[in-house]
Amino acid sequence: IIYVSDGQELAGVDIVEDISIPSENAFQNYDMILSKIFSGASDYNNVLILVSGGVTATAISAHLKKNGILTYDIGKLYRWL
């Protein structure tokens, strides 16, 4: 699992890579975030991307899914884990 978030922890999950994004105005860094994700995802077969970061996470999730990468925008799910 590659976890992309605004610094929130995801307890109880084996994370192979954690990509931090700004908690505010993350969309301004959209291309850089995608680049980091694509770079990390290329290291693994059958990768799952979990994204948490507001509207930016939704856009990133859609972009990655269109590129064939299994991605879920988990919103604030980490709060209940």
Side-chain angles (χ1 to χ4, degrees):
I1 295 174
I2 296 177
Y3 181 49
V4 181
S5 77
D6 57 1
Q8 303 300 320
E9 292 185 21
L10 188 62
V13 177
D14 289 332
I15 307 293
V16 295
E17 190 163 343
D18 185 2
I19 298 172
S20 196
I21 63 174
S23 59
E24 295 181 6
N25 301 316
F27 202 81
Q28 293 175 349
N29 297 296
Y30 186 83
D31 291 331
M32 183 219 29
I33 295 166
L34 277 178
S35 176
K36 285 183 179 180
I37 294 170
F38 281 124
S39 176
S42 68
D43 294 338
Y44 306 100
N45 292 326
N46 301 320
V47 67
L48 168 63
I49 310 286
L50 301 179
V51 186
S52 177
V55 176
T56 304
T58 304
I60 287 172
S61 183
H63 190 118
L64 294 172
K65 285 178 186 178
K66 287 181 181 179
N67 283 278
I69 298 174
L70 181 59
T71 307
Y72 292 101
D73 178 356
I74 61 170
K76 301 296 182 188
L77 176 69
Y78 60 83
R79 290 183 182 177
W80 292 282
L81 297 175

